[in-house]
Amino acid sequence: PVRVLGKCGGYTSDIIAGMRWAAGLAVSGVPTNPTPAKVLNLSLGGDGECSSAYQSAIDEIVARNVLVVVSAGNDGSTVDAPANCRGVVAVGALRHVGNKVGFSNLGPGVTVSAPGGNCVNVDGGPCLFSIDTTTNLGTAVPAANDYTNQTRFNVGTSFSAPIVSGIAGLMYAVNPALTPPQVAARLRASARSFPVVTE
């Protein structure tokens, strides 16, 4: 893991530096990464179009045969940056029945969707379809490690993107010669259409 944001956010330049370092590219003042990643997962995003700084870094990273997977965003609108950059795999979120969950961004910029959780609360009860994952219970400093659950829930495309990143990693384990465009094309080809769901 490469930390690029903190409690109060951060700068695009920090995100780009982290991306470059993870992919094995030079970052001023930092030793070169001795074990560059084959897949970058970015469970983050911001408003607006893909900036030239993001696009330049992504072009350079993809040219090194590194796949960039990015969360599409969670405001129910169009795909956020950097998921709307050229050459990335932008990931939307699915609810438990397989169709798009309301909060997920969607549009032609989305490459594929994966489970993102969905809070169905019956009579004010718990979040029935949360994504269960590891967490830390600290609020100001690290505390006990634990798991999220239906009362301490997690949902979002930030959980969808790592699922796709893991699948991409398995694809590279079978065929390390795949290029990022080939992985993206195979992910799309293996996906099925959203089901028609009546609720």
Side-chain angles (χ1 to χ4, degrees):
V2 178
R3 184 162 182 173
V4 296
L5 300 171
K7 178 182 175 184
C8 299
Y11 297 100
T12 300
S13 57
D14 295 327
I15 297 170
I16 291 171
M19 292 168 62
R20 290 179 53 82
W21 184 85
L25 297 169
V27 176
S28 179
V30 180
T32 302
N33 181 354
T35 54
K38 190 76 174 167
V39 180
L40 302 187
N41 180 81
L42 278 68
S43 287
L44 52 79
D47 294 333
E49 293 301 314
C50 177
S51 68
S52 59
Y54 264 136
Q55 192 61 66
S56 176
I58 289 166
D59 290 345
E60 198 172 353
I61 290 166
V62 171
R64 288 183 64 100
N65 246 8
V66 176
L67 183 72
V68 181
V69 180
V70 191
S71 302
N74 302 316
D75 54 20
S77 64
T78 57
V79 179
D80 289 336
N84 57 19
C85 293
R86 183 182 62 254
V88 306
V89 171
V91 184
L94 301 173
R95 67 179 77 226
H96 61 288
V97 291
N99 62 341
K100 176 195 162 307
V101 66
F103 61 75
S104 178
N105 290 0
L106 190 64
V110 171
T111 308
V112 69
S113 294
N118 181 33
C119 280
V120 175
N121 306 96
V122 179
D123 297 326
C127 175
L128 296 182
F129 301 103
S130 171
I131 297 290
D132 294 338
T133 185
T134 55
T135 189
N136 186 280
L137 301 179
T139 56
V141 296
N145 293 321
D146 203 350
Y147 295 92
T148 59
N149 55 40
Q150 293 180 342
T151 56
R152 196 172 48 249
F153 61 88
N154 275 312
V155 298
T157 58
S158 286
F159 299 99
S160 309
I163 293 170
V164 173
S165 294
I167 293 166
L170 292 172
M171 292 168 71
Y172 280 122
V174 172
N175 185 356
L178 288 171
T179 65
Q182 288 172 328
V183 172
R186 290 179 185 198
L187 287 168
R188 266 192 195 190
S190 67
R192 58 185 175 199
S193 300
F194 292 140
V196 176
V197 178
T198 55
E199 295 183 29

